[in-house]
């Protein structure tokens, strides 16, 4: 499975040759998070030249979100905030990308495999299909009306959040959405939920127990990890693209803290050249720095 990544800045990451098959053109990717067992990944991709690929099917559920530039899916041109999603085995039309374009690319349940094809694979469910959206033209919906949260499992709508639901799998509950927090939005205390969660900050910023987010920062968090005490930027608020692998419910904890216990045998305050152990921490990048309060979780 993927390691817990929280927080990283994509500018700290080393570019690699992009993992595209049957494509013409060049591109590089920065690996935000990567499952080395099955190839699932979240990537920031920059196209170094004009780029094309024929119609075909992916080996993984695949999504693209356009950060800048232009991507054309079949006959539909997508600029910044354009989005498309194709479940595994669903035919994706021919793609073309303008040089300099940057995207977020998400793969679930498979690697970079791609095969040219004219039709869907036989295993595709009747409700699975290609989704192509100009998300910039979509309205923001108050989270109490548009949230995929499972209120029957204890989920509670939080005033001040707005959502654009981009895609949801009817069978698994896996969904992708844009979320916007109004300036100064605040939510406390820490929460955990039964699904994994990942987010990339698109605009604004906020503070929480793992640190501070700004545009270009990212996390991938496993299920049941406590997180929170959110405070959005006082002037801009915050906008993220957020993805979860199942239905969401937030379960809250007051006075959250973890402690390392045990009896020191050859370290401690009486041995001046020794240090206490630290709690297990997620992967973090250079610009984010060390987690200042790792017991607050």
């Amino acid at each position: 499975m993927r390691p817990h990544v929280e927080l990283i800045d994509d500018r700290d990451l080393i570019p690699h040759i992009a993992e595209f098959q049957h494509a013409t053109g060049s591109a590089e990717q920065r690996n935000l998070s990567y499952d080395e067992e099955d190839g699932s990944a979240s990537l920031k991709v920059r196209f170094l030249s004009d780029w094309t690929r024929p119609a075909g099917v992916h080996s993984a559920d695949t999504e693209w979100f356009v950060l800048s530039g232009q991507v054309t899916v079949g006959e539909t041109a997508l600029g910044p905030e354009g989005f498309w999603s194709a479940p595994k085995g669903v035919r994706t039309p021919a793609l073309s990308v303008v040089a300099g374009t940057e995207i977020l690319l998400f793969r679930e349940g498979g690697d970079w495999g791609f095969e040219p094809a004219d039709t869907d694979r036989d295993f595709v469910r009747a409700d699975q299909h290609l989704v192509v959206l100009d998300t910039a033209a979509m309205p923001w919906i108050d989270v109490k009306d548009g949230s995929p949260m499972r209120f029957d499992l204890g989920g509670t709508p939080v005033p001040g959040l707005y959502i654009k639901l981009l895609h949801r799998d009817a069978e698994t509950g896996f969904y992708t959405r844009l979320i916007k927090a109004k300036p100064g939005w605040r939510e406390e205390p820490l929460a955990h939920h039964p699904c994994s969660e990942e987010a990339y900050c698109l605009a604004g910023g906020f503070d929480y127990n793992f640190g501070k987010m700004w545009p270009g920062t990212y996390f991938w968090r496993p299920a049941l990890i406590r997180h929170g005490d959110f405070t959005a930027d006082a002037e801009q608020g915050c906008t993220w693209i957020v993805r979860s692998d199942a239905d969401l419910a937030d379960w809250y904890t007051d006075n959250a803290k973890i402690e390392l216990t045990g009896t020191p045998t050859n370290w401690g305050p009486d041995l001046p050249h020794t240090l206490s152990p630290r709690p297990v921490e997620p992967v973090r990048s250079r610009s984010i720095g060390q987690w200042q309060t790792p017991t607050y979780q």
Side-chain angles (χ1 to χ4, degrees), residues 109-122:
D111 61 16
W112 53 83
F114 175 85
E115 296 181 4
D118 294 326
T119 60
D120 292 353
R121 294 294 189 239
D122 292 341

Side-chain angles (χ1 to χ4, degrees), residues 70-134:
Q70 181 175 292
V71 173
T72 300
V73 185
E75 301 298 321
T76 303
L78 298 174
E81 300 181 50
F83 171 84
W84 67 262
S85 172
K88 176 180 178 179
V90 169
R91 178 185 179 273
T92 302
L95 297 174
S96 63
V97 183
V98 174
T101 294
E102 292 188 324
I103 66 167
L104 297 175
L105 189 158
F106 303 102
R107 292 197 307 257
E108 299 295 334
D111 61 16
W112 53 83
F114 175 85
E115 296 181 4
D118 294 326
T119 60
D120 292 353
R121 294 294 189 239
D122 292 341
F123 57 78
V124 172
R125 304 193 317 258
D127 64 311
Q128 292 181 308
H129 54 84
L130 177 74
V131 173
V132 181
L133 298 172
D134 175 9

Side-chain angles (χ1 to χ4, degrees), residues 7 22 54 64-65 72 95 105 148 152 189 192 199 203 215 225 240 260-261 267-268 279:
L7 289 162
H22 301 284
W64 288 24
F65 182 84
T72 300
L95 297 174
L105 189 158
D152 60 317
H192 65 287
I225 301 296
W240 313 261
L260 292 178
T261 62
W267 63 272

Side-chain angles (χ1 to χ4, degrees), residues 142-145 147-161 177 179 185-189 191-194 230 247-253:
D142 194 311
V143 73
K144 66 181 175 62
D145 298 320
S147 177
M149 184 176 288
R150 285 286 301 277
F151 300 112
D152 60 317
L153 298 178
T156 304
V158 181
L161 287 180
R177 64 220 189 271
I179 291 184
W185 171 76
R186 179 95 173 104
E187 182 192 21
E188 54 181 345
H192 65 287
H193 42 62
F230 299 117
D247 291 323
L248 175 71
D250 277 331
W251 300 318
Y252 295 100
T253 303

Side-chain angles (χ1 to χ4, degrees), residues 11-273:
R11 293 171 296 185
D12 295 330
L13 305 177
I14 296 172
H16 305 268
I17 297 173
E19 299 167 337
F20 291 120
Q21 295 183 331
H22 301 284
T24 300
S26 59
E28 64 181 19
Q29 69 186 43
R30 297 175 189 264
N31 299 340
L32 302 174
S33 64
Y34 210 106
D35 188 326
E36 294 287 356
E37 293 179 334
D38 71 1
S40 299
S42 298
L43 314 167
K44 184 176 182 181
V45 179
R46 181 172 183 267
F47 293 88
L48 305 177
S49 68
D50 289 346
W51 181 96
T52 60
R53 195 183 65 187
V57 296
H58 298 90
S59 299
D61 297 342
T62 302
E63 298 181 359
W64 288 24
F65 182 84
V66 182
L67 296 171
S68 64
Q70 181 175 292
V71 173
T72 300
V73 185
E75 301 298 321
T76 303
L78 298 174
E81 300 181 50
F83 171 84
W84 67 262
S85 172
K88 176 180 178 179
V90 169
R91 178 185 179 273
T92 302
L95 297 174
S96 63
V97 183
V98 174
T101 294
E102 292 188 324
I103 66 167
L104 297 175
L105 189 158
F106 303 102
R107 292 197 307 257
E108 299 295 334
D111 61 16
W112 53 83
F114 175 85
E115 296 181 4
D118 294 326
T119 60
D120 292 353
R121 294 294 189 239
D122 292 341
F123 57 78
V124 172
R125 304 193 317 258
D127 64 311
Q128 292 181 308
H129 54 84
L130 177 74
V131 173
V132 181
L133 298 172
D134 175 9
T135 72
M138 295 170 60
W140 288 103
I141 306 299
D142 194 311
V143 73
K144 66 181 175 62
D145 298 320
S147 177
M149 184 176 288
R150 285 286 301 277
F151 300 112
D152 60 317
L153 298 178
T156 304
V158 181
L161 287 180
Y162 303 89
I163 191 170
K164 297 182 182 184
L165 185 59
L166 308 186
H167 176 254
R168 182 178 184 276
D169 186 292
E171 185 172 285
T172 66
F174 199 119
Y175 61 90
T176 301
R177 64 220 189 271
L178 298 178
I179 291 184
K180 179 172 68 174
K182 68 179 183 181
W185 171 76
R186 179 95 173 104
E187 182 192 21
E188 54 181 345
L190 300 192
H192 65 287
H193 42 62
C195 54
S196 68
E197 187 172 50
E198 69 175 325
Y200 182 94
C201 182
L202 299 169
F206 76 114
D207 294 278
Y208 71 130
N209 69 313
F210 285 99
K212 181 185 291 291
M213 292 195 82
W214 52 79
T217 54
Y218 168 87
F219 66 78
W220 188 92
R221 179 190 310 127
L224 307 180
I225 301 296
R226 285 194 298 222
H227 57 284
D229 261 3
F230 299 117
T231 302
D233 182 84
E235 296 182 358
Q236 300 181 65
C238 191
T239 304
W240 313 261
I241 183 168
V242 182
R243 306 172 76 246
S244 293
D245 66 359
D247 291 323
L248 175 71
D250 277 331
W251 300 318
Y252 295 100
T253 303
D254 283 314
N255 305 313
K257 184 179 181 180
I258 66 165
E259 296 181 356
L260 292 178
T261 62
T263 302
T265 59
N266 63 343
W267 63 272
D270 295 332
L271 296 171
H273 299 294

